[in-house]
Amino acid sequence: MRALSTLLLLSAPVLAASPLAAQTVTLKPLAEARLRWEQVDQDGLPQKADAVTARIRTGLVATTGRWSALAEAQGNLAIVPDYFDGVHPDPNRPLIGDPQSIGLYRAQIQYKSDPFTLTAGRQRIALDDERFVGAAQIRNNGQTFDAVRVELVPVKGVKADVSYVWGVRTVWGIDGTGVRPRSVGGNTVLANLGWASPIGTLTGFAYLIDEDEAAVQGFRLSSQTYGTRLAGAQSLGKAKLAYQASWARQSDYHRNPNSYSADYWLADLALDLNGPRLGGGYEVLGADKGQALTSFQTPLSSIFKFQGWADKFTTTPADGIRDLYASTGWGWKQVGPVKAVSLSAVWHRFESDRLIRHYGNEIDLLAQGKIGRTTASLRYADYQADRFGADTQKLWLQLDWTI
């Protein structure tokens, strides 16, 4: 925060002295609310978890010329707190990672022009598909970064995106501590270089993650990851085919006491038939020698989006993981008064990458639609364990409103 305060003090006279300061200041309110019931039933625990939570974010954006300043507060209230929130121990119930919290969600200054954007302060950072760096939006407290981020488009079709991060504000909120702290400090560098080629965006990336907190796995989540990704789409008459392919290699970094290297692979296809949707893919988070935390880890990702909604693999097992998945669904622009209606189902088969063995299978189901400014969703996950974890069923009923 000291670095952020210094930056704000240095930026103020520059903004005041600029001719832009004479322009009209535009104020835009920020407001969003979420009401959710989440239930988890996990074998081996005597009770279910039931969480009825209400999350509110509110703030303001002030813009003048190419400059803007944003401040946003956030509060999460547990109306029905019958769950283990990750912070206050409850050995009888499963984990639902939404502890009560209130505090500053974002506070940033931004300069934006056609080729160049500079953002400094507490901010959301979501890179590519959020597999390695994301905002963890499914969790009520979200994930933000105390960082300076530079986005540059030197020529058409080429974009460089580099961030220096000195703190990660976690989903565990103001009471976070120990292995689940409120924030994780360090000197992290996130770098992307993308080119919009004729067949899709080709990206090279380097993520140097420094988690400088001994309580968080004894520095064992610090890593350096280098890789490449291709993502694109092609029209096939009225249909659309989207595709992704990615490879990366990860090894230990900075104070990590482990010595390891592991690979990541992804191949993904999605076909939208102007209503019906089909998809499938194969993702591998590789392993080294089978020791804990020497497999491919993604501590800054929006992990809920990957490897099933039951969240059985938030930390990659020592022997890695292979995820074979297939999806189907249907979408409608409008059904009566409800817009953006969609139904979807995803099936996963999980295996270890090393010493191949079956971890388990999962089915994920989702129905959602929007009326006015409110989106309603009903979500279900069913993980059937074989050689990893315990049978787990999760159910969500959620309402999201935004201004």
Side-chain angles (χ1 to χ4, degrees):
M1 287 304 294
R2 181 179 299 174
L4 174 58
S5 300
T6 301
L7 181 64
L8 294 175
L9 289 172
L10 290 175
S11 299
V14 174
L15 178 56
S18 168
L20 297 176
Q23 297 184 14
T24 301
V25 176
T26 302
L27 299 179
K28 178 183 177 182
L30 302 171
E32 61 177 87
R34 169 185 290 170
L35 179 64
R36 179 165 66 204
W37 169 52
E38 181 173 349
Q39 183 183 83
V40 183
D41 185 4
Q42 179 176 309
D43 278 11
L45 293 175
Q47 295 178 288
K48 296 179 181 180
D50 280 284
V52 177
T53 55
R55 197 276 309 282
I56 295 176
R57 290 176 183 160
T58 183
L60 191 68
V61 182
T63 304
T64 178
R66 293 177 177 176
W67 290 87
S68 66
L70 180 153
E72 186 177 22
Q74 172 181 267
N76 182 53
L77 173 66
I79 301 170
V80 177
D82 298 333
Y83 64 101
F84 170 40
D85 64 6
V87 175
H88 305 94
D90 186 341
N92 296 317
R93 299 182 188 272
L95 172 66
I96 296 177
D98 289 326
Q100 292 196 119
S101 182
I102 188 169
L104 184 65
Y105 178 60
R106 289 189 292 167
Q108 67 183 51
I109 288 178
Q110 186 177 84
Y111 174 85
K112 186 178 182 64
S113 65
D114 288 338
F116 175 78
T117 301
L118 171 67
T119 309
R122 186 163 300 168
Q123 57 189 282
R124 282 196 295 251
I125 300 178
L127 300 178
D128 298 323
D129 59 353
E130 301 189 60
R131 189 59 180 103
F132 302 110
V133 181
Q137 291 280 52
I138 190 66
R139 299 274 51 109
N140 283 347
N141 293 317
Q143 176 172 270
T144 54
F145 301 82
D146 293 337
V148 175
R149 181 182 185 185
V150 175
E151 299 168 81
L152 178 64
V153 182
V155 296
K156 184 178 180 180
V158 175
K159 181 182 179 181
D161 190 331
V162 180
S163 299
Y164 166 68
V165 179
W166 62 85
V168 179
R169 307 294 294 192
T170 74
V171 301
W172 305 113
I174 58 173
D175 292 330
T177 187
V179 71
R180 298 186 178 99
R182 65 190 297 179
S183 65
V184 180
N187 297 289
T188 290
V189 177
L190 311 171
N192 268 14
L193 181 61
W195 169 50
S197 77
I199 60 171
T201 300
L202 181 63
T203 303
F205 54 84
Y207 303 135
L208 310 180
I209 298 175
D210 174 21
E211 297 222 337
D212 201 10
E213 302 288 342
V216 183
Q217 305 291 0
F219 313 114
R220 289 175 174 82
L221 293 178
S222 294
S223 63
Q224 49 187 330
T225 301
Y226 305 92
T228 186
R229 177 176 184 266
L230 175 68
Q234 300 290 331
S235 295
L236 304 174
K238 293 184 178 181
K240 185 176 183 180
L241 177 67
Y243 44 85
Q244 298 181 69
S246 185
W247 169 85
R249 188 165 184 81
Q250 184 179 99
S251 60
D252 51 285
Y253 180 66
H254 199 53
R255 299 173 68 178
N256 191 332
N258 287 332
S259 178
Y260 78 99
S261 61
D263 289 336
Y264 170 87
W265 297 92
L266 170 69
D268 180 276
L269 291 173
L271 181 62
D272 187 339
L273 298 169
N274 196 27
R277 298 167 184 167
L278 300 170
Y282 190 59
E283 184 184 48
V284 179
L285 280 73
D288 191 346
K289 297 180 180 179
Q291 298 176 351
L293 299 174
T294 61
S295 50
F296 200 105
Q297 304 293 329
T298 60
L300 302 184
S301 74
S302 291
I303 188 64
F304 182 83
K305 296 175 64 176
F306 306 92
Q307 298 174 342
W309 300 335
D311 275 346
K312 307 308 292 186
F313 304 100
T314 53
T315 298
T316 306
D319 287 329
I321 183 169
R322 299 181 179 182
D323 177 12
L324 175 66
Y325 58 91
S327 64
T328 186
W330 204 296
W332 300 265
K333 292 183 179 179
Q334 188 163 351
V335 178
V338 186
K339 298 181 179 180
V341 177
S342 65
L343 301 172
S344 62
V346 186
W347 169 84
H348 296 265
R349 177 181 173 84
F350 301 111
E351 294 181 334
S352 65
D353 179 55
R354 179 179 175 272
L355 305 176
I356 308 300
R357 61 189 184 278
H358 184 222
Y359 283 153
N361 295 338
E362 182 170 328
I363 293 289
D364 298 324
L365 305 173
L366 173 64
Q368 63 181 9
K370 185 174 183 179
I371 299 178
R373 298 181 182 273
T374 301
T375 299
S377 59
L378 176 63
R379 193 185 301 260
Y380 176 75
D382 184 2
Y383 175 76
Q384 296 296 314
D386 186 355
R387 299 184 182 182
F388 187 89
D391 290 358
T392 302
Q393 292 78 44
K394 292 190 177 187
L395 180 66
W396 298 260
L397 179 60
Q398 181 170 314
L399 298 174
D400 285 285
W401 174 90
T402 185
I403 194 171

